[in-house]
Short mmCIF file of all heavy atoms in Angstrom, two decimals:
data_model
loop_
_atom_site.label_atom_id
_atom_site.label_comp_id
_atom_site.label_asym_id
_atom_site.label_seq_id
_atom_site.Cartn_x
_atom_site.Cartn_y
_atom_site.Cartn_z
N PHE Y 440 2.13 -12.29 14.69
CA PHE Y 440 2.54 -11.58 13.47
C PHE Y 440 3.11 -12.56 12.46
O PHE Y 440 2.81 -12.50 11.27
CB PHE Y 440 3.56 -10.50 13.80
CG PHE Y 440 4.12 -9.81 12.60
CD1 PHE Y 440 3.33 -8.97 11.83
CD2 PHE Y 440 5.44 -10.01 12.22
CE1 PHE Y 440 3.84 -8.33 10.72
CE2 PHE Y 440 5.96 -9.38 11.11
CZ PHE Y 440 5.16 -8.54 10.36
N ALA Y 441 3.95 -13.48 12.92
CA ALA Y 441 4.56 -14.47 12.02
C ALA Y 441 3.50 -15.34 11.37
O ALA Y 441 3.57 -15.65 10.16
CB ALA Y 441 5.56 -15.34 12.78
N ILE Y 442 2.49 -15.74 12.14
CA ILE Y 442 1.40 -16.56 11.60
C ILE Y 442 0.63 -15.79 10.55
O ILE Y 442 0.28 -16.32 9.49
CB ILE Y 442 0.47 -17.03 12.73
CG1 ILE Y 442 1.21 -18.02 13.64
CG2 ILE Y 442 -0.79 -17.67 12.16
CD1 ILE Y 442 0.45 -18.37 14.90
N LEU Y 443 0.35 -14.51 10.82
CA LEU Y 443 -0.37 -13.67 9.85
C LEU Y 443 0.40 -13.56 8.55
O LEU Y 443 -0.18 -13.63 7.46
CB LEU Y 443 -0.59 -12.27 10.44
CG LEU Y 443 -1.64 -12.14 11.54
CD1 LEU Y 443 -1.60 -10.75 12.14
CD2 LEU Y 443 -3.03 -12.44 11.00
N VAL Y 444 1.71 -13.40 8.64
CA VAL Y 444 2.54 -13.28 7.45
C VAL Y 444 2.51 -14.57 6.65
O VAL Y 444 2.35 -14.57 5.42
CB VAL Y 444 4.00 -12.93 7.83
CG1 VAL Y 444 4.92 -13.06 6.63
CG2 VAL Y 444 4.06 -11.52 8.39
N ILE Y 445 2.65 -15.71 7.33
CA ILE Y 445 2.63 -17.01 6.63
C ILE Y 445 1.31 -17.24 5.93
O ILE Y 445 1.26 -17.63 4.76
CB ILE Y 445 2.92 -18.15 7.63
CG1 ILE Y 445 4.36 -18.06 8.13
CG2 ILE Y 445 2.68 -19.50 6.98
CD1 ILE Y 445 4.68 -18.98 9.29
N LEU Y 446 0.21 -16.98 6.62
CA LEU Y 446 -1.11 -17.17 6.03
C LEU Y 446 -1.32 -16.24 4.83
O LEU Y 446 -1.88 -16.64 3.81
CB LEU Y 446 -2.20 -16.92 7.08
CG LEU Y 446 -2.31 -17.95 8.20
CD1 LEU Y 446 -3.34 -17.51 9.23
CD2 LEU Y 446 -2.68 -19.33 7.64
N SER Y 447 -0.84 -15.02 4.95
CA SER Y 447 -1.02 -14.04 3.88
C SER Y 447 -0.26 -14.45 2.63
O SER Y 447 -0.79 -14.38 1.52
CB SER Y 447 -0.53 -12.65 4.34
OG SER Y 447 -1.31 -12.18 5.40
N THR Y 448 0.98 -14.90 2.79
CA THR Y 448 1.79 -15.24 1.62
C THR Y 448 1.30 -16.50 0.96
O THR Y 448 1.42 -16.66 -0.25
CB THR Y 448 3.27 -15.39 2.02
OG1 THR Y 448 3.37 -16.31 3.11
CG2 THR Y 448 3.84 -14.06 2.47
N ILE Y 449 0.71 -17.42 1.73
CA ILE Y 449 0.14 -18.63 1.14
C ILE Y 449 -1.00 -18.28 0.19
O ILE Y 449 -1.19 -18.91 -0.85
CB ILE Y 449 -0.36 -19.58 2.26
CG1 ILE Y 449 0.83 -20.22 2.98
CG2 ILE Y 449 -1.26 -20.67 1.68
CD1 ILE Y 449 0.45 -21.05 4.17
N LEU Y 450 -1.74 -17.23 0.53
CA LEU Y 450 -2.87 -16.82 -0.30
C LEU Y 450 -2.44 -16.33 -1.67
O LEU Y 450 -3.22 -16.33 -2.61
CB LEU Y 450 -3.67 -15.71 0.42
CG LEU Y 450 -4.48 -16.15 1.63
CD1 LEU Y 450 -5.10 -14.93 2.30
CD2 LEU Y 450 -5.56 -17.15 1.24
N PHE Y 451 -1.18 -15.91 -1.79
CA PHE Y 451 -0.69 -15.41 -3.08
C PHE Y 451 -0.20 -16.60 -3.88
O PHE Y 451 0.89 -17.11 -3.67
CB PHE Y 451 0.44 -14.40 -2.86
CG PHE Y 451 0.68 -13.50 -4.04
CD1 PHE Y 451 -0.12 -12.40 -4.25
CD2 PHE Y 451 1.70 -13.76 -4.93
CE1 PHE Y 451 0.09 -11.56 -5.34
CE2 PHE Y 451 1.93 -12.93 -6.00
CZ PHE Y 451 1.13 -11.83 -6.21
N SER Y 452 -1.02 -17.08 -4.80
CA SER Y 452 -0.75 -18.33 -5.48
C SER Y 452 0.44 -18.22 -6.42
O SER Y 452 0.69 -17.20 -7.04
CB SER Y 452 -1.98 -18.77 -6.28
OG SER Y 452 -2.33 -17.79 -7.24
N ALA Y 453 1.19 -19.33 -6.50
CA ALA Y 453 2.32 -19.39 -7.41
C ALA Y 453 1.81 -19.45 -8.85
O ALA Y 453 0.69 -19.87 -9.12
CB ALA Y 453 3.17 -20.63 -7.10
N THR Y 454 2.66 -19.00 -9.75
CA THR Y 454 2.26 -19.02 -11.15
C THR Y 454 3.47 -19.23 -12.03
O THR Y 454 4.59 -18.83 -11.69
CB THR Y 454 1.59 -17.69 -11.56
OG1 THR Y 454 1.25 -17.75 -12.96
CG2 THR Y 454 2.51 -16.50 -11.34
N ASN Y 455 3.25 -19.90 -13.15
CA ASN Y 455 4.30 -20.06 -14.15
C ASN Y 455 4.19 -19.00 -15.23
O ASN Y 455 4.98 -18.95 -16.16
CB ASN Y 455 4.22 -21.46 -14.78
CG ASN Y 455 4.54 -22.55 -13.78
OD1 ASN Y 455 5.45 -22.39 -12.97
ND2 ASN Y 455 3.80 -23.63 -13.82
N ASP Y 456 3.15 -18.18 -15.11
CA ASP Y 456 2.88 -17.16 -16.11
C ASP Y 456 3.60 -15.87 -15.75
O ASP Y 456 3.19 -15.16 -14.86
CB ASP Y 456 1.36 -16.93 -16.20
CG ASP Y 456 1.00 -16.09 -17.41
OD1 ASP Y 456 1.92 -15.66 -18.12
OD2 ASP Y 456 -0.20 -15.87 -17.63
N LYS Y 457 4.70 -15.59 -16.43
CA LYS Y 457 5.51 -14.40 -16.12
C LYS Y 457 4.96 -13.18 -16.87
O LYS Y 457 5.59 -12.65 -17.78
CB LYS Y 457 6.97 -14.65 -16.49
CG LYS Y 457 7.56 -15.94 -15.89
CD LYS Y 457 7.54 -15.90 -14.37
CE LYS Y 457 8.26 -17.09 -13.77
NZ LYS Y 457 7.68 -18.39 -14.05
N GLU Y 458 3.78 -12.78 -16.50
CA GLU Y 458 3.15 -11.65 -17.19
C GLU Y 458 3.86 -10.34 -16.83
O GLU Y 458 4.37 -10.16 -15.74
CB GLU Y 458 1.68 -11.56 -16.83
CG GLU Y 458 0.85 -12.70 -17.42
CD GLU Y 458 -0.63 -12.39 -17.39
OE1 GLU Y 458 -1.02 -11.35 -17.96
OE2 GLU Y 458 -1.38 -13.19 -16.80
#
Side-chain angles (χ1 to χ4, degrees):
F440 175 69
I442 292 171
L443 287 172
V444 170
I445 292 170
L446 291 175
S447 296
T448 53
I449 288 174
L450 288 175
F451 200 81
S452 60
T454 179
N455 293 320
D456 191 357
K457 308 299 187 296
E458 290 196 57

